[in-house]
Amino acid sequence: MIKEEGHIGLLEATVLVYAILSAKLFMQAPGFLIEAGGPAAWQAALVMTAAGLLLLLPVGALARRFPGQGLPQIAEAVGGPVLGSLFSLYVLAWLFATTANSLRNFTEVYIGTILPNTPPSVLTFVALFCMAYGSYRGLESVGRATQVLLPVILAGIVLVLVFSMPRLQLSRLYPFWGHGLVYTVSGGAYNAGLLAEAIVVLILAYSLRDAKNVRKAGMLGVALFGLLSALTCAVLVMIFGAPDAAQQPFPLFNLSQLVYLGRFMQRTEALIVMFWFFNVAVRLIVLFHALVVTLTGMLRLPYHRPVIFPMAVLLFSTSLLPEDTLVVLRIMRDWLTPSGLGILFVPFLLLALALIRGKGVQSHAA
Amino acid sequence: MRRRRLAAFLLVLMLAFPLAGCWDRSELEEEAFVLAIGVDKGKQSLYTVSFAIAHPSRLAGGGKGGGGGGGGGDEKPLVLTSVEAPTVAGAISMANSYLSRRVSLRHTKALFMGEELARQSGMFTMDEFVRFRQARRTIFYIVTKGKAADFLEKMKPTLEKDPQRYIEQMTYSVRHTGMVPAASQIQQYVTLVNTGYAQPITYYAALHEEGEEQSGKGTTQTEGYKAGELPRKGGANVDLLGGAAFRNEKMVGVLTGEDMRMILMLQDKFRRGIVSIPDPSKPDLFVSLEIHQGRPLRIDANLSGPKPRIHATVTLEGELLTVQSNADYTEPELQTKLEQATVGALEQRMRSLISKTQQWDTDVIGFGQEVVKQFPTVEAWERYRWQDWYKTAEISADVRFTLRRFGKQLSPPRPREQ
């Protein structure tokens, strides 16, 4: 058990899950959904959310069976040292790849939009500093800071969508069924892998005072993200049209550049980009912390702080490996998203094993 | 305690680095802000790219003089330079080799494209504006009669000192005249070309040559002119009127102010405007009305027959502004007569517009945006190929008009003996 200082409540956990996911809206997640659903991308987003919520249902049951424990401990308790470690290793490897990719994606987004001349290593270093410092301070500090930042994080998306309303063209949401219902549903389900970071709620379950809140936090965070994704996709399609929106690596940035409400309300992206930075920072910090905590749990270390620096160095090197932006995008779309689906199955498999083997609190009670 | 102080010191030290500025800092004095770009067909290279660069001190007035004439006397607020290059980005690079400041598109408000080039291509350059970091999709896309470089050189705004503001202000006229497109930014153009639900229309501008005989058709209406053909004298030497119709990326025709107004009505984007029609009581005289939208546009599309059939119903309301014949249109019979005459005139103008766009084979009105709703999937819509059907489609428009108000006077003032 990790000696993590402090606890987080339902609201903080929900906000953390939402913030981890919502940072993807500034990046390529809307593009993936629009590619899958065409004009019906909002439907694909809803399918994605429904699939994600369904796959996350076992998280609550697991947390209740193993109160005060995180994913590595649960996996070991359920699967034993070999199978349990394999589960944890899969989650660890995926989290590592996702965090490294997100770190690089963050630098690519900022270089591609507002800081073209800044060396990627400088941006990576700044982000890593935030990640390491956040993890060092612990989840409670990060949770509270995120709760305070929530209005800003929400404003980063909601304001852009609201300011874009004069440009909406409803007819671009047609043909209503996009590329066909089968295509939309399969595309939406495939992109449920975009929600895999919600597994963090199980990794950090030990920090929540009440085990019942683990499921609630996961569900609420994913549902809020799903609704905003559907809305974002609909707005992007209504403004850019599906073929154009699917080809934009930073569609929400482009949308913020379009804000043109008379002579006095223009160039809002300067402000919006700052809001986005908070969101991306929270995402990276929490992913990093979850990664560190998973490794700490697997190694049965009592404290996570000694792992921070080596992990930061590893991430720094790995994030610089992809040759160009396209490689970063392809890794996300073709590797991390489908393998993220596998991550969402981990709680389900662990619960099934726990039930079969009679592990956890309920079996003792029985 | 000591460690904490050391940590705080290191943190402050680290903060000192970004305070000195970052890699992307840019000093205002080092940048040449391009307010408008002109693109024409080149002689030695693919394009002749013209940059209208802001001269900040002249734009600000410099403290000399006053009024509309500007502080700089005859000094122009813009510095104009043209360079031949295969791309706009290439032109920027070349311009940077002889301009002391770095060319920046961050404040570019308008892209002017010469008509000749617009009729030949268009999308090549548009990719640059969509892709290039500095450019914004909110840049106005304006086709100029003649060369864009000449337009930028000779354009002399009045009332507004800042040419950028002048252009922006001109585009607002859609709100009260309805004689320019509702929007003509690169964003709309690219999206329309990409989706294919409707074809793009852009602003069309022309220089007004003072003292030259205008080539207008001697119309007795106030709206049936193209830019550059208005029978006028004085004011700014620029007409921003009507629009340039495109089919995909190529320009196919010039729309008059009257055409634009009909298009806006058929796009459900018409706000208000003044129309003049022959007086039904005395056809050699005129009646002026201010009309505005009464109810939302209704479009019925029927694709079941051998040809697509589309019917638009436009509902308008109006106020009487001028009656030259002294007929009393407050009398119910005459009011109905005037309403019918207005309907007849508008329907005739709509028929003429629809026929024109069908001849050009371009759905600039955007009926496709209604037709697409009848298709369940993208694949079914693409198989139908709406663009191929547009030319032969049976399109009709029905105007409903109610005269709501009669101005500040009911019966017209007339001599006692009448």
Side-chain angles (χ1 to χ4, degrees), chain B residues 244-290:
Chain B
F246 281 72
R247 186 174 200 276
N248 296 325
E249 71 272 24
K250 288 182 186 172
M251 180 181 162
V252 290
V254 179
L255 295 155
T256 64
E258 180 183 289
D259 291 335
M260 262 331 301
R261 189 174 276 177
M262 297 305 116
I263 286 176
L264 289 175
M265 286 177 189
L266 291 166
Q267 287 179 336
D268 211 16
K269 289 175 182 166
F270 178 71
R271 291 196 186 182
R272 59 180 58 242
I274 297 169
V275 290
S276 298
I277 59 162
D279 191 324
S281 305
K282 209 169 182 186
D284 53 327
L285 297 176
F286 282 83
V287 173
S288 282
L289 304 136
E290 187 177 56

Side-chain angles (χ1 to χ4, degrees), chain A residues 112-113 115-118 122 167 169 171 174-175 177-179 239-240 244 257 260 263 266-267 269, chain B residues 23-24 106-107 109 133 136-137 140 165 168-169 185 187-188 191 194 197 369 375-379:
Chain A
T113 52
L115 298 170
N117 301 315
T118 305
V122 172
R167 289 182 185 270
Q169 185 79 47
S171 64
Y174 291 90
W177 298 111
H179 297 291
I239 290 176
F240 294 112
D244 190 11
Q257 277 201 320
Y260 192 94
R263 198 176 292 150
Q266 298 179 26
R267 300 176 186 274
E269 76 271 14
Chain B
W23 286 264
D24 288 285
R106 283 186 199 133
H107 290 273
K109 192 66 104 184
R133 186 183 303 109
R136 307 171 74 83
R137 285 181 176 224
F140 294 121
R165 180 170 288 191
E168 193 172 15
Q169 204 72 34
Q185 292 173 333
Q187 158 59 18
Q188 282 93 8
T191 301
N194 260 326
Y197 296 177
Q369 297 180 90
F375 292 87
T377 64
V378 175
E379 286 66 26

Side-chain angles (χ1 to χ4, degrees), chain B residues 92-390:
Chain B
I92 291 172
S93 177
M94 287 165 79
N96 279 331
S97 66
Y98 62 86
L99 290 170
S100 57
R101 296 181 176 198
R102 193 175 66 176
V103 173
S104 167
L105 303 190
R106 283 186 199 133
H107 290 273
T108 305
K109 192 66 104 184
L111 164 68
F112 293 90
M113 189 177 282
E115 187 171 338
E116 187 188 2
L117 182 65
R119 285 184 184 272
Q120 282 179 8
S121 65
M123 203 61 184
F124 298 140
T125 43
M126 225 40 73
D127 181 71
E128 299 197 49
F129 289 97
V130 169
R131 199 181 290 274
F132 189 34
R133 186 183 303 109
Q134 284 185 5
R136 307 171 74 83
R137 285 181 176 224
T138 49
I139 292 174
F140 294 121
Y141 184 13
I142 303 166
V143 174
T144 59
K145 186 180 178 182
K147 287 193 179 297
D150 294 342
F151 187 90
L152 284 173
E153 193 183 343
K154 293 176 185 168
M155 179 174 74
K156 281 183 193 155
T158 51
L159 298 178
E160 305 291 343
K161 188 170 183 183
D162 177 358
Q164 193 184 31
R165 180 170 288 191
Y166 171 72
I167 294 294
E168 193 172 15
Q169 204 72 34
M170 291 285 282
T171 65
Y172 294 158
S173 71
V174 68
R175 298 172 188 167
H176 48 267
T177 69
M179 290 200 277
V180 293
S184 172
Q185 292 173 333
I186 286 176
Q187 158 59 18
Q188 282 93 8
Y189 174 85
V190 170
T191 301
L192 289 175
V193 170
N194 260 326
T195 56
Y197 296 177
Q199 295 297 321
I201 312 174
T202 67
Y203 295 130
Y204 185 75
L207 287 169
H208 183 85
E209 303 291 347
E210 203 66 63
E212 198 175 274
E213 194 65 38
Q214 300 302 322
S215 59
K217 289 166 281 188
T219 174
T220 48
Q221 294 149 8
T222 51
E223 309 96 32
Y225 294 98
K226 291 177 185 171
E229 294 179 353
L230 280 177
R232 68 179 179 95
K233 200 174 177 186
N237 64 342
V238 172
D239 288 346
L240 189 80
L241 181 72
F246 281 72
R247 186 174 200 276
N248 296 325
E249 71 272 24
K250 288 182 186 172
M251 180 181 162
V252 290
V254 179
L255 295 155
T256 64
E258 180 183 289
D259 291 335
M260 262 331 301
R261 189 174 276 177
M262 297 305 116
I263 286 176
L264 289 175
M265 286 177 189
L266 291 166
Q267 287 179 336
D268 211 16
K269 289 175 182 166
F270 178 71
R271 291 196 186 182
R272 59 180 58 242
I274 297 169
V275 290
S276 298
I277 59 162
D279 191 324
S281 305
K282 209 169 182 186
D284 53 327
L285 297 176
F286 282 83
V287 173
S288 282
L289 304 136
E290 187 177 56
I291 55 173
H292 59 90
Q293 197 179 37
R295 283 187 187 175
L297 170 78
R298 186 182 158 159
I299 292 181
D300 299 303
N302 182 355
L303 308 181
S304 57
K307 285 179 187 176
R309 275 185 300 170
I310 292 163
H311 183 75
T313 308
V314 179
T315 308
L316 301 165
E317 294 179 351
E319 179 178 354
L320 198 55
L321 295 183
T322 314
V323 184
Q324 290 180 337
S325 66
N326 285 344
D328 186 358
Y329 286 109
T330 57
E331 286 181 20
E333 279 175 24
L334 282 178
Q335 182 183 344
T336 309
K337 201 173 165 186
L338 178 59
E339 286 171 350
Q340 284 170 351
T342 310
V343 166
L346 292 175
E347 283 183 350
Q348 193 274 325
R349 292 177 196 183
M350 278 181 193
R351 277 195 296 276
S352 154
L353 164 81
I354 291 166
S355 152
K356 194 186 278 185
T357 61
Q358 286 190 307
Q359 277 169 26
W360 290 339
D361 196 12
T362 179
D363 178 19
V364 283
I365 299 166
F367 290 120
Q369 297 180 90
E370 287 302 315
V371 174
V372 70
K373 292 178 182 172
Q374 305 208 2
F375 292 87
T377 64
V378 175
E379 286 66 26
W381 160 251
E382 284 175 353
R383 271 198 305 276
Y384 184 71
R385 297 186 63 82
W386 163 245
Q387 278 198 43
D388 296 347
W389 284 103
Y390 183 72

